[in-house]
Structures are given as structure tokens and as C-alpha cells.
């Protein structure tokens, strides 16, 4: 293949033609917004979700409801499917004038099912591709200190996040984005704008510039489980501990450690250097308290922690004493790096 032929293969234009129906797979608040938006445009909307996504509590504005509850309120058709590849209602809803959009769908889309859409089955991936394939959401990027954001739509193929890129817009997360919830809210606002533009381009039969992903840039990150992966190693650098705690903060349960025999979770933490550095044997010790925070020694400075939660998610920081020490048993840290989280349509796979 010549260089010019290779460029043609990697970059081309496509037009979706007359589309009158969208099938939305997955869950989350962005799916709810999209379903309402498409209904408002006079298009047919059909939502296919899993048992896991159907029960999730979703906050829209100041109101909480399940995915099924929100869609029922909007009178948007939705089914909970165990297996979309054999679900006749799902298969029967696909036509040549249908686009499928995946919002973190729980299923692995198989080749036969993908082919039913004739190239019109797409995925929303809120990270650069091919650099950030896989799962873990915003947590991996918070750990790395990455602030490049992207709203991206790509074609689904039988592999994970490898399909051709259809449409995207990149941006920078502001410095006040610290937790996955902060990133999520900012990302959703950006995605809403991208999707509005995408729907307008489809309705107006405009072409999209399709680009093939370059494998030599690729990287993959696995899914995370807060309960297993979220244990703090107090031997890390201070800034790494801070990023790790932030990565498992809202909307997750929090990064884990122990005080005595008590399992606790830390949230709302900040690194601080004004008190200097500490000896390795001092790390984890609470050396100061005030009404709002506890100050924890690490080898390279202080970790200020504003919330310490017990197993009932009650903030117990005022019950802690100066001189108490946070620590994490080595066996839990070793288990965290050995464990791989696998999620199914019903939830976390039990081994």
C-alpha cells in the first residue's frame, strides 16, 4: 500500500443519511439528557439498559431517581435486557435508519450484533483514543494528574475502544476539578454541546471526517473497584497519596485505610508543605487537629484530611486523637495490585 493509499484508509468522510430512530445503550445522567433531547427533536428513542444500570440512583439537578424512574417520568420506552445479542425486542428495533449510541453499556458487543447496525453503532468515550482505552473512568487520569479532556464518539467494533473516530472536541479540565464527580459534571456539560452538534449534523445530512486510530499510540487501563483497589499505601510520595484519595472520592465510597482495627475511608484531602518533611517512621500519624481537618505526616510533607468516614459513612474525624496512626496492612495493598475487576450486566463479577 502506498503512503497516499494509507492516508485515504485512515481518513475518510461518511454521511449517515436519513435517521429517524436512536437506540441508547447503558445508563447515567448523560443518557437521560440525550433521550430527552432526541424526543424533543421529534425522533424515536428506545433505551436498552442492564440490571446494574437500571437500579443506579441518578442525580439530575437536585432530584434523585433511578434510571427507570427518570425514563418513565419522561415517557421514554426502556427495557432491561440480560443479553442484547439474543433479545428479539432489541434486534427487532434495529433498522437501516437507526443509530445506536452506547453510554458505558454493560455488555460486550459481539460482531454479529454490531453488523446489524451497518456501521451505525457508536460509543461515547470521555478520554483520548487510542491513549486511554478501557475502564476506570476518571480515576486513572486523576492519579496521573491529567487535565486534557475530550468528548469523543467512535464506531464500535468487536475489540475494546478500537473503532474509527467519528467526532470529537477536546478541552482542558479546570484546576478546581479534583474528584471523579467534578470531572464527570464538567465532562457532561461538554458532551451535551458535542451531542447537539452531532444530532444537527446527522439531521442535515452533513458528512463526518472519520479517522482510524493509530495503534502505536495505544494504551489500555482496566476497570477499578473502590472496595478492593482503593487502599492507600502510606509509603507513596505525598502528591501520589493526595491524587489517589481524590481518585476514589465522590461519587465513590472513598480511599481506604485503618486506624487501629477500624476500617476508615478518607475524602477531601490536600497536600501541604509548610510543616516540612517527616521521618519514615512518622508517616500516617495524626500530628494536629482542628475543627475542620486532621493533619497527617508523610515522608514528604502533610496530608490534610477533611473527612474520615467509618463503615456507616459517618464522619468520625473529631473522634480521632492526635497521635493516632493511619496504616494499611500489606496484604490488602498486595491484593489490590493482583486483583482485576470484571463487571457484568448484573454487577461486579464474583470469583
Amino acid at each position: 500500500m502506498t503512503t497516499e493509499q494509507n492516508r485515504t484508509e485512515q481518513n475518510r468522510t461518511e454521511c449517515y443519511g436519513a435517521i429517524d430512530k436512536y437506540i441508547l445503550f447503558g445508563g447515567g445522567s448523560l443518557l437521560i439528557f440525550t433521550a430527552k433531547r432526541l424526543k424533543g427533536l421529534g425522533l424515536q428513542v428506545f433505551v436498552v439498559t442492564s440490571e446494574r444500570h437500571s437500579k443506579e440512583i441518578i442525580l439530575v439537578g437536585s432530584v434523585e431517581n433511578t434510571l427507570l424512574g427518570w425514563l418513565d417520568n419522561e415517557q421514554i420506552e426502556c427495557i432491561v435486557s440480560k443479553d442484547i445479542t439474543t433479545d428479539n425486542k432489541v434486534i427487532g428495533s434495529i433498522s437501516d435508519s437507526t443509530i445506536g449510541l452506547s453510554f458505558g453499556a454493560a455488555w460486550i458487543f459481539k460482531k454479529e450484533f454490531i453488523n446489524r447496525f451497518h456501521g451505525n453503532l457508536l460509543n461515547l468515550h470521555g478520554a483520548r483514543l487510542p491513549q486511554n482505552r478501557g475502564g476506570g473512568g476518571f480515576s486513572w487520569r486523576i492519579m496521573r494528574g491529567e487535565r486534557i479532556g475530550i468528548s469523543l464518539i467512535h464506531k464500535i467494533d468487536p475489540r475494546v475502544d478500537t473503532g474509527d473516530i467519528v467526532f470529537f472536541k477536546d478541552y482542558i479540565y479546570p484546576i478546581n476539578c479534583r474528584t471523579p464527580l467534578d470531572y464527570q459534571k464538567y465532562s457532561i456539560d461538554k458532551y451535551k454541546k458535542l451531542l447537539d452538534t452531532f444530532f444537527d449534523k446527522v439531521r442535515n445530512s452533513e458528512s463526518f471526517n472519520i479517522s482510524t486510530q493509530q495503534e502505536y499510540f495505544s494504551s489500555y487501563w482496566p476497570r477499578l473497584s473502590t472496595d478492593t483497589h482503593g487502599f492507600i499505601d502510606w509509603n507513596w510520595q505525598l502528591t501520589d497519596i493526595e491524587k489517589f484519595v481524590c481518585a476514589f472520592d465522590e461519587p465513590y465510597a472513598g480511599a481506604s485505610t485503618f486506624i487501629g482495627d477500624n476500617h476508615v475511608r478518607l475524602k477531601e484531602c490536600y497536600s501541604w508543605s509548610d510543616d516540612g518533611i517527616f521521618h519514615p517512621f512518622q508517616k500516617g500519624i495524626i500530628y494536629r487537629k482542628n475543627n475542620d481537618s486532621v493533619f497527617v505526616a508523610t515522608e514528604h510533607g502533610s496530608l490534610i484530611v477533611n473527612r474520615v468516614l467509618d463503615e456507616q459513612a459517618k464522619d468520625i474525624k473529631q473522634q480521632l486523637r492526635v497521635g493516632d496512626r493511619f496504616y494499611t496492612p500489606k496484604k490488602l495493598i498486595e491484593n489490590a495490585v493482583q486483583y482485576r475487576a470484571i463487571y457484568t450486566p448484573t454487577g461486579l463479577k464474583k470469583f
Side-chain angles (χ1 to χ4, degrees):
M1 180 180 289
T2 67
T3 302
E4 193 58 41
Q5 286 174 320
N6 189 47
R7 287 199 193 102
T8 302
E9 283 291 316
Q10 292 175 359
N11 299 282
R12 63 190 187 278
T13 60
E14 287 184 10
C15 177
Y16 285 98
I19 298 295
D20 59 17
K21 184 175 187 178
Y22 284 80
I23 303 177
L24 311 184
F25 298 92
S29 59
L30 185 58
L31 183 147
I32 295 168
F33 163 82
T34 303
K36 291 167 63 176
R37 183 77 178 110
L38 290 168
K39 183 181 178 182
L41 293 173
L43 295 161
Q44 298 179 63
V45 188
F46 179 40
V47 175
V48 183
T49 193
S50 63
E51 180 183 342
R52 167 163 63 92
H53 280 130
S54 70
K55 297 175 181 178
E56 288 179 349
I57 301 298
I58 299 172
L59 180 67
V60 177
S62 59
V63 180
E64 290 184 341
N65 205 340
T66 63
L67 176 68
L68 294 182
W70 282 117
L71 295 174
D72 184 60
N73 289 345
E74 299 294 331
Q75 298 182 322
I76 293 169
E77 185 181 6
C78 176
I79 66 165
V80 178
S81 180
K82 291 183 178 179
D83 184 1
I84 56 173
T85 61
T86 60
D87 194 317
N88 290 329
K89 189 165 185 180
V90 177
I91 294 170
S93 67
I94 303 168
S95 71
D96 291 340
S97 60
T98 301
I99 286 179
L101 290 176
S102 172
F103 296 76
W107 309 277
I108 299 296
F109 294 99
K110 297 179 181 178
K111 185 176 181 179
E112 182 181 357
F113 185 81
I114 295 168
N115 289 343
R116 294 181 184 276
F117 283 85
H118 303 291
N120 289 2
L121 182 58
L122 310 173
N123 181 52
L124 277 66
H125 189 82
R128 290 183 297 166
L129 289 176
Q131 292 93 329
N132 288 297
R133 291 175 178 165
F138 298 110
S139 295
W140 289 119
R141 276 172 278 162
I142 292 171
M143 287 185 225
R144 295 179 62 193
E146 184 180 339
R147 292 205 170 268
I148 298 174
I150 194 167
S151 302
L152 185 147
I153 300 172
H154 71 91
K155 290 178 179 286
I156 292 177
D157 64 16
R159 296 181 296 164
V160 179
D161 299 332
T162 58
D164 293 348
I165 295 170
V166 175
F167 196 43
F168 71 92
K169 177 69 175 177
D170 53 14
Y171 52 88
I172 302 295
Y173 287 103
I175 198 69
N176 62 333
C177 284
R178 290 177 50 82
T179 70
L181 185 60
D182 295 334
Y183 277 70
Q184 184 183 87
K185 288 179 177 179
Y186 197 83
S187 172
I188 286 174
D189 286 341
K190 295 293 186 180
Y191 249 125
K192 288 177 180 179
K193 296 174 183 177
L194 181 93
L195 286 168
D196 274 343
T197 305
F198 176 79
F199 298 143
D200 286 342
K201 286 173 70 70
V202 172
R203 285 200 305 162
N204 295 329
S205 297
E206 295 181 35
S207 294
F208 291 87
N209 296 317
I210 311 297
S211 59
T212 301
Q213 295 187 41
Q214 302 303 301
E215 283 301 314
Y216 53 81
F217 286 127
S218 69
S219 58
Y220 174 90
W221 305 105
R223 303 289 295 273
L224 291 166
S225 168
T226 301
D227 288 344
T228 305
H229 291 126
F231 282 96
I232 300 165
D233 187 339
W234 292 97
N235 294 309
W236 290 333
Q237 296 272 350
L238 170 60
T239 54
D240 290 331
I241 296 173
E242 177 190 19
K243 290 173 185 174
F244 189 80
V245 175
C246 288
F248 290 98
D249 207 320
E250 299 297 331
Y252 306 119
S256 292
T257 190
F258 283 79
I259 284 251
D261 294 329
N262 298 315
H263 174 221
V264 295
R265 296 180 187 268
L266 308 188
K267 291 191 172 187
E268 294 182 21
C269 78
Y270 300 86
S271 57
W272 196 52
S273 59
D274 283 15
D275 281 348
I277 61 175
F278 299 89
H279 187 274
F281 192 64
Q282 292 175 294
K283 57 194 173 190
I285 294 176
I286 298 172
Y287 68 89
R288 182 185 301 142
K289 281 179 57 178
N290 60 30
N291 290 333
D292 300 315
S293 313
V294 294
F295 292 68
V296 185
T298 79
E299 239 178 293
H300 304 93
S302 309
L303 188 74
I304 301 175
V305 183
N306 290 344
R307 296 174 67 197
V308 181
L309 308 181
D310 65 13
E311 293 186 334
Q312 286 72 48
K314 179 184 176 182
D315 191 347
I316 60 167
K317 67 175 178 290
Q318 290 306 322
Q319 299 173 28
L320 303 180
R321 300 170 301 171
V322 172
D324 286 343
R325 186 196 295 262
F326 291 114
Y327 77 99
T328 306
K330 287 183 180 179
K331 64 180 180 180
L332 294 175
I333 295 171
E334 291 173 357
N335 183 57
V337 298
Q338 293 173 344
Y339 177 76
R340 181 161 185 175
I342 304 294
Y343 288 85
T344 70
T346 57
L348 185 64
K349 184 176 181 179
K350 305 296 183 183
F351 292 94

